[in-house]
Amino acid sequence: MRCLSDRLRVRIALFAVLLSTQSFGYNHPEIQWKTVATEHFLIHYYDKTECGVYATYKTAEESYRVMEKLYGFKLQEKINIAIADYDDYSNGLAAWTQDNIMIWLPDARFDLRGNSTWLRNVITHELAHIISLSKYDSQRLGWSLGFDYSGKHTGVSVARPFPLTVFYPSWFSEGTAQRESERAGNDCWDSRRDMLLRCAILQDRQLSLGEMAHFNHDAIGFEMVYNQGFSFVKFLEARFGTKRITELWNEGRSFRLGGFGFRGIFRRQTGRDIQELYDLWVDSLRTEYQAMVPEDQGSLTPVWEGGAFNKLPRISSDNRYWGWLTSEGGDYRRTDLVLAENGSSKPVVRIKYARQSWSFSSNGSKVYYVKARRPNEEGSYFNDIYEYDVKHGTHRRITHDGRVYDVVACNDGTSLLVVAYDNGMFNLKRCNTETGTLTGIVPGRLGAPFLSPAIDPGSSQKAVVTRYRNGSTDLLLVDLADKSLTPLRATPASEESPHWGSDGRIYFSADYDGIFNVYSVLPDGTDLQRHSSVAGGLFQPVVTTDGDLVCSEYTAEGFRIVSGPSRGRSYQVESAGTCGYKEVPRPRGKVR
């Protein structure tokens, strides 16, 4: 990588500012963009995202070399990649007609797909859009759609290139991008993705071929475009080979007369009708998934089903209240915190815009929750901790620009154990509830974030936390006194969302047999027990003092809060599989 001149650096970084302006309404003039050039890319960054430059460079160049040959791609100008971190927000965007990629650095947290090594996955995915869609022989000379606006003091002219290429269905575009990320070792068909498709197929709620072609859906349907597209592309590639899939893209970019229409191109390339293959794919999945349905699914009672996303159930230590986050009345990005009397589904308190995480205080008199409702002075939306006094019904802000993603109250009554984001990493910290001061406990690592900590109810110095490990998740015991980490279990499966019960056992969700269910172990990792058996998936368990299990269950309609007996039986892990990803590239020495 080499540095560019100041003039060129400013000029080619403007697209990142424009993207951020269009997306969020703020252009963040406080950001001093810098640019480095690699063989095929211009990487734009600033002080807060410099930590991700090396990983971006290595991943982008590695992925480019594979896909360049696969798609016969010819580079005309270097591809721009901008790395941003001005909100507690994760996403990627490819403006393929302009060779621009925008990446928001914080690791994404997915409810509907597994967690990968974020930078590797998102960079390869967005680059796959650029390489598969770009058409250089006509794109620069193609049509354009534009409009002009003239006011008393200003005039604006906007032109959007209209490339001469086939309009591919969304399932094929996104499915191909996910398949290329998988081919590079940065994504895979994980247990959550399989859960979505399995529930949809078993309940006959899968998207039709036409519905897969667009994103005009609710949050579940939106994700199903990606989900079904990924699975269907893998199905087609297994039947016709990788070269045939790439030829579908290459012919669409050739712009010969009569070349419009994906279905026509597909028939010419494969000799088959796409609808016929879609029906065959669905039938094969239905047979496979029906064999996975457990004979005894136990007895779980729905507690709350409003909205498609209901998660993070919690119960106060005095058993008076319970609560959860719900998207009822909003969309996927917005949730409220609902509190109700234990055993009732009728809310007594609704805290709007609570998100990410929340916790009762150790004595149940207060609630701590995360919210990012208003921008700070620089226009950034950061997660902060708020306190709600249950008795007096008052709210108090604890942190300012804390960038907190997870929160759990400690037993001392004056502090919280939190996961806070800083400089590209998710770190374990302690938060003073009076001053809002954050103090480091265990530093994070790029590409391996912490999440979902839980406190030992019988100790003020012990906790358990989830940590990503190259696409999987592990449970780690945390000694808050000496700041040490000890693996609770070491299996290839995903083990996550722990709850340290009052009975001394640690409950968690795991996909040992390909379906997420609730398990528990003793604090030394022994005596593994299984507590549920469902066809969809169970997450984020908590156990009442009466021995009842409360958790978030996924069905084809979305996540709902359920409860039932927590009776456990001894369980032996036989052959737990998981997705394995490459680590985020790290330099051995100082990068200049």
Side-chain angles (χ1 to χ4, degrees):
M1 297 183 292
R2 63 181 179 82
C3 291
L4 303 177
S5 68
D6 290 342
R7 179 179 297 179
L8 183 57
R9 199 162 55 216
V10 171
R11 182 162 55 90
I12 62 182
L14 283 177
F15 93 93
V17 179
L18 289 173
L19 282 177
S20 64
T21 303
Q22 293 171 355
S23 300
F24 296 98
Y26 294 95
N27 60 14
H28 292 279
E30 79 281 1
I31 294 177
Q32 301 297 313
W33 289 96
K34 305 174 185 178
T35 301
V36 293
T38 71
E39 184 178 355
H40 301 101
F41 299 91
L42 298 173
I43 301 175
H44 314 295
Y45 67 100
Y46 54 102
D47 55 347
K48 287 186 178 181
T49 62
E50 186 171 359
C51 58
V53 171
Y54 181 81
T56 299
Y57 144 64
K58 294 290 287 186
T59 301
E61 288 291 352
E62 175 186 292
S63 300
Y64 177 87
R65 288 185 173 88
V66 173
M67 287 187 280
E68 175 190 33
K69 296 178 181 179
L70 198 59
Y71 291 87
F73 183 76
K74 297 179 181 179
L75 187 70
Q76 300 283 318
E77 298 176 359
K78 290 188 177 184
I79 299 169
N80 292 284
I81 302 179
I83 318 172
D85 181 24
Y86 43 72
D87 292 294
D88 282 330
Y89 173 77
S90 307
N91 207 343
L93 171 68
W96 60 271
T97 59
Q98 302 161 344
D99 294 337
N100 293 336
I101 295 174
M102 188 82 169
I103 304 295
W104 283 267
L105 186 60
D107 294 72
R109 296 185 176 192
F110 295 107
D111 293 313
L112 300 174
R113 63 177 84 169
N115 294 295
S116 61
T117 45
W118 170 245
L119 267 180
R120 274 193 172 277
N121 190 353
V122 70
I123 289 169
T124 308
H125 181 104
E126 302 305 339
L127 182 59
H129 284 317
I130 298 284
I131 290 178
S132 63
L133 284 164
S134 292
K135 175 179 174 48
Y136 285 103
D137 55 352
S138 66
Q139 185 168 296
R140 301 297 188 253
L141 301 175
W143 302 66
S144 67
L145 298 177
F147 68 88
D148 292 294
Y149 169 79
S150 296
K152 184 176 181 180
H153 302 291
T154 184
V156 178
S157 179
V158 177
R160 182 71 174 177
F162 185 77
L164 302 175
T165 186
V166 165
F167 288 98
Y168 291 94
S170 295
W171 68 263
F172 188 61
S173 176
E174 299 300 342
T176 298
Q178 291 181 115
R179 178 67 184 105
E180 293 307 334
S181 188
E182 180 184 49
R183 199 190 313 280
N186 304 329
D187 202 351
C188 83
W189 185 256
D190 55 77
S191 296
R192 269 190 171 83
R193 282 188 168 107
D194 201 57
M195 173 185 73
L196 257 69
L197 190 54
R198 180 174 64 251
C199 289
I201 294 290
L202 291 176
Q203 297 181 44
D204 200 26
R205 293 174 63 96
Q206 70 275 4
L207 299 181
S208 68
L209 187 61
E211 291 169 334
M212 289 168 61
H214 59 81
F215 284 110
N216 188 24
H217 305 288
D218 60 13
I220 300 293
F222 188 96
E223 178 61 26
M224 288 302 294
V225 174
Y226 287 86
N227 181 279
Q228 293 187 197
F230 191 8
S231 177
F232 194 29
V233 165
K234 287 166 65 68
F235 174 84
L236 295 175
E237 185 176 348
R239 280 189 161 264
F240 300 109
T242 303
K243 190 176 189 310
R244 189 62 59 196
I245 298 299
T246 60
E247 285 304 315
L248 289 170
W249 287 102
N250 293 338
E251 181 176 342
R253 291 199 305 268
S254 66
F255 187 59
R256 49 184 206 184
L257 291 177
F260 284 111
F262 177 76
R263 290 196 177 204
I265 293 176
F266 188 88
R267 181 177 286 278
R268 282 196 296 274
Q269 286 290 334
T270 66
R272 300 289 296 275
D273 179 70
I274 187 67
Q275 181 66 53
E276 174 190 337
L277 289 163
Y278 167 86
D279 295 337
L280 183 62
W281 168 68
V282 170
D283 288 343
S284 65
L285 287 173
R286 183 170 288 113
T287 301
E288 175 186 343
Y289 287 146
Q290 285 174 343
M292 293 179 64
V293 176
E295 294 181 4
D296 180 14
Q297 296 191 42
S299 56
L300 293 172
T301 303
V303 173
W304 181 272
E305 299 179 280
F309 293 86
N310 300 289
K311 53 188 181 179
L312 291 178
R314 300 284 186 262
I315 303 172
S316 63
S317 59
D318 59 5
N319 277 331
R320 182 177 179 183
Y321 296 103
W322 61 0
W324 44 84
L325 295 178
T326 178
S327 65
E328 182 191 51
D331 57 23
Y332 179 31
R333 296 187 182 277
R334 178 205 156 173
T335 55
D336 296 337
L337 171 57
V338 166
L339 301 181
E341 293 184 357
N342 199 348
S344 170
S345 59
K346 183 178 180 180
V348 296
V349 175
R350 190 181 191 108
I351 301 174
K352 290 189 174 183
Y353 306 110
R355 61 182 303 206
Q356 293 289 152
S357 180
W358 73 284
S359 171
F360 282 106
S361 63
S362 57
N363 62 8
S365 65
K366 296 178 180 179
V367 167
Y368 301 100
Y369 61 95
V370 173
K371 187 171 73 171
R373 180 59 180 161
R374 299 187 183 281
N376 64 10
E377 293 180 353
E378 295 176 339
S380 292
Y381 288 84
F382 289 147
N383 293 334
D384 276 304
I385 304 173
Y386 292 76
E387 176 190 270
Y388 174 73
D389 190 301
V390 177
K391 180 179 180 180
H392 299 97
T394 57
H395 298 263
R396 180 175 67 93
R397 184 172 182 171
I398 294 178
T399 65
H400 292 268
D401 295 349
R403 309 204 69 177
V404 173
Y405 278 70
D406 296 279
V407 57
V408 61
C410 297
N411 298 328
D412 56 16
T414 62
S415 65
L416 309 170
L417 180 61
V418 305
V419 175
Y421 180 82
D422 180 47
N423 196 32
M425 293 171 285
F426 289 83
N427 313 280
L428 272 179
K429 295 186 177 183
R430 189 187 296 272
C431 176
N432 185 293
T433 56
E434 291 301 318
T435 64
T437 303
L438 295 173
T439 306
I441 298 177
V442 182
R445 192 172 75 237
L446 186 69
F450 293 109
L451 66 159
S452 307
I455 294 290
D456 178 358
S459 170
S460 60
Q461 299 299 329
K462 294 181 180 179
V464 60
V465 69
T466 307
R467 190 174 201 172
Y468 295 173
R469 173 181 49 82
N470 300 337
S472 182
T473 46
D474 291 331
L475 298 180
L476 304 174
L477 292 173
V478 186
D479 189 310
L480 301 179
D482 64 20
K483 304 180 180 180
S484 63
L485 297 174
T486 306
L488 179 64
R489 294 185 54 77
T491 71
S494 289
E495 299 156 327
E496 56 190 60
S497 56
H499 163 73
W500 207 317
S502 58
D503 58 0
R505 299 186 67 85
I506 298 174
Y507 295 80
F508 58 95
S509 182
D511 63 344
Y512 292 133
D513 60 358
I515 298 177
F516 278 98
N517 273 286
V518 175
Y519 300 84
S520 73
V521 292
L522 294 173
D524 62 1
T526 63
D527 189 28
L528 176 65
Q529 294 186 15
R530 179 167 175 162
H531 298 267
S532 69
S533 181
V534 297
L538 286 180
F539 303 91
Q540 302 155 353
V542 293
V543 177
T544 68
T545 54
D546 296 329
D548 289 330
L549 179 71
V550 183
C551 50
S552 175
E553 180 186 24
Y554 183 81
T555 70
E557 290 80 19
F559 292 92
R560 62 182 184 176
I561 305 299
V562 296
S563 68
S566 65
R567 292 185 300 270
R569 61 186 184 277
S570 182
Y571 186 80
Q572 185 70 34
V573 179
E574 296 180 357
S575 57
T578 188
C579 292
Y581 304 114
K582 297 178 182 177
E583 289 190 35
V584 172
R586 295 180 179 86
R588 295 183 179 180
K590 184 175 178 60
V591 177
R592 302 182 64 85

